[in-house]
Amino acid sequence: MKFVCTRDKLNEAIRTVSRAVAAKSNLAAIEGILLTAENETLTLTGYDFELGIRTAFECDIEEEGRIVLSSQLLGNIIRRMNSDTVLFAADEKLNCTIKGGNAKYTIKGIDAGDYPEFPHPAKDNIFKIDRSLFSQMTDYVIYAVSTDEKRPAHTGVLFKTEGNKLTMVALDGYRLAVCERDVDFEGNFSMIIPAKTMNEVRKITGEADGKISIYASKRNVMFMVDDYVILSRLLEGDFLDYRKAIPSNFATEVVVDTKPLAEAVERVSLIITERLRNPVRVTIADGVLTVKCVTELGEVTDSVLVGQVGPDIEIGFNNRFLLDALKRSKCDKLNLRLSGPLAPCKIIPAEGEAFTYLVLPVRFKE
C-alpha cells in the first residue's frame, strides 16, 4: 500500500481512534490501529472488543492495501513530524516507510488478517437526536456512574426511550442522576451503555450542531457522528428501578443559590482528606443553611441564606457527592427537598425540569 495525506488530518484521526485501542492484550493486533487504503479513502480503526472507533477521510492513494501499526508508535511519529504532508508506503513483508519533511521512519507492521472484524449492529432500532441534546443530557448524568465492577450494569448509563421521551439515568449506590427530554422520534427501547463509550461519544460530538445517528441492537450500539463511527458492546444485568428510588413526598423544601452553596461546601471541605473523610453536617433552620465539618485538622462552619418551607432539619452528606450534584446542575438556583435525616435529598432546578438528582445522606457517628 502507498498513500499521501495531510499530517493534521492523520494526526487527529490517530488521536481519536487510539482511545479505542487496547492498552495491553495477548492479541498484538488490537494494540494497534488498522489502516485501510482503498477508493481514494484512508480508513483508521481502533477496536478492543469492547469499544471501537472508526473514521475515514480522502487522500491520494497510489496502491491500495491494509496493515496494522502500533497505535502508540504511529501516534508519536505523526505528532512530531514538522511537515504538512505524510508519505506512507508498506511492502508485502509488512515493512512500513513513513516520510515527512526530512524525517524518515521504517517500522514493522502487523498483518491485517489478524485484526478482529468490526461488528455492525442490526438496524432494528434507529434514533437520530441533536448533538447538543446528547451532550447536554450526558453532562447532566455521567458523573453519577458507578465504578464498582461488582455491579456491571451500574457502570454504564441507562438509555431509555418511551414514546417520544428519551431518558438517561446513572447511579452508583450513593447518588442518582436522571435527565429526561422530548425527542422527535417515537420508540420503546432500553439499553445500558458503558460510561467510557458515553464519554468518547461526548468528546467527538462536542457542542456542534447536527444530528447523531444511533443504531441499537440487543448486544451492541453504534453511533455515527460526522466522519466517525463509534461501536460499543452493551452492558448486561438489571438496572435499578430508578423511579421507585425517587421519593414523591418531602417535609422540608429549600430554594438556594447554587454558587454560594457550592463555594461554602468547598470551603468546609478544606479540612477533609482521604484519611479524614468526615461528613459535612448541613443544618437548615430559620431560612439559613449552615454547613459544618469537624476533623482532626480542625473545624469549619459556613452558611448561606435560603428560602425555606417546612420544619428545620439536620442531615449529613459526603462532601464530594454533594459538590458534584451542585456543580453538574449548571443552574443558578436549586430546589432541595428533604424528608428526614436518613432519607435521600432530592435536588431539582428551581425552574424547569432539566434533571433530577438524589444524594444519599451519611449517618453521624455520634
Side-chain angles (χ1 to χ4, degrees), residues 84-360:
D84 293 334
T85 59
V86 176
L87 171 64
F88 182 98
D91 62 24
E92 294 179 354
K93 295 182 179 180
L94 305 177
N95 297 308
C96 304
T97 301
I98 305 172
K99 295 180 181 178
N102 296 322
K104 176 182 176 181
Y105 296 85
T106 300
I107 61 175
K108 195 73 175 177
I110 300 172
D111 190 338
D114 295 339
Y115 203 81
E117 184 179 353
F118 197 83
H120 293 277
K123 298 179 180 180
D124 300 332
N125 299 280
I126 304 175
F127 319 105
K128 285 192 177 183
I129 66 172
D130 291 334
R131 294 172 60 161
S132 59
L133 178 62
F134 180 90
S135 296
Q136 182 187 72
M137 294 183 72
T138 302
D139 288 348
Y140 275 132
V141 305
I142 195 70
Y143 79 94
V145 169
S146 174
T147 57
D148 184 0
E149 296 295 336
K150 293 178 182 178
R151 302 198 68 178
H154 292 165
T155 63
V157 174
L158 177 66
F159 186 105
K160 187 181 184 71
T161 65
E162 293 177 299
N164 64 342
K165 294 278 187 184
L166 170 61
T167 305
M168 291 189 189
V169 186
L171 59 94
D172 67 359
Y174 304 98
R175 61 249 179 109
L176 179 146
V178 180
C179 184
E180 186 177 83
R181 291 288 187 278
D182 290 329
V183 289
D184 57 4
F185 60 82
E186 290 190 7
N188 293 283
F189 189 76
S190 179
M191 57 184 169
I192 307 172
I193 304 172
K196 181 180 179 181
T197 303
M198 296 293 289
N199 278 318
E200 294 304 335
V201 178
R202 173 67 179 89
K203 289 174 187 175
I204 293 171
T205 299
E207 307 296 337
D209 295 331
K211 298 277 188 179
I212 298 178
S213 296
I214 304 173
Y215 301 85
S217 61
K218 186 176 181 180
R219 294 183 178 174
N220 296 296
V221 61
M222 185 170 70
F223 300 85
M224 297 185 68
V225 187
D226 293 335
D227 297 325
Y228 288 94
V229 175
I230 305 97
L231 173 85
S232 175
R233 71 172 182 88
L234 296 175
L235 295 176
E236 298 180 355
D238 295 326
F239 202 89
L240 178 77
D241 187 344
Y242 65 93
R243 290 192 174 100
K244 289 183 179 179
I246 300 173
S248 56
N249 300 316
F250 57 92
T252 302
E253 180 177 10
V254 169
V255 176
V256 60
D257 291 320
T258 309
K259 185 177 179 182
L261 177 56
E263 290 174 346
V265 176
E266 285 180 326
R267 286 190 286 267
V268 168
S269 299
L270 292 176
I271 63 169
I272 299 174
T273 66
E274 285 297 312
R275 185 174 65 87
L276 305 172
R277 290 185 171 185
N278 291 17
V280 170
R281 186 185 297 265
V282 175
T283 304
I284 300 166
D286 301 324
V288 178
L289 186 153
T290 302
V291 287
K292 179 180 179 180
C293 188
V294 180
T295 73
E296 292 177 15
L297 294 178
E299 177 179 325
V300 185
T301 303
D302 207 335
S303 62
V304 294
L305 295 175
V306 298
Q308 177 184 345
V309 176
D312 298 344
I313 189 171
E314 186 174 71
I315 188 170
F317 292 109
N318 176 296
N319 66 309
R320 182 170 63 85
F321 294 164
L322 181 58
L323 268 176
D324 283 347
L326 297 175
K327 291 184 175 181
R328 290 288 184 144
S329 71
K330 301 178 183 178
C331 290
D332 293 332
K333 288 181 179 291
L334 289 171
N335 187 314
L336 279 57
R337 295 180 174 179
L338 306 107
S339 56
L342 301 181
C345 173
K346 182 177 179 180
I347 303 174
I348 59 175
E351 296 182 3
E353 300 178 344
F355 58 84
T356 298
Y357 291 162
L358 289 189
V359 181
L360 268 63

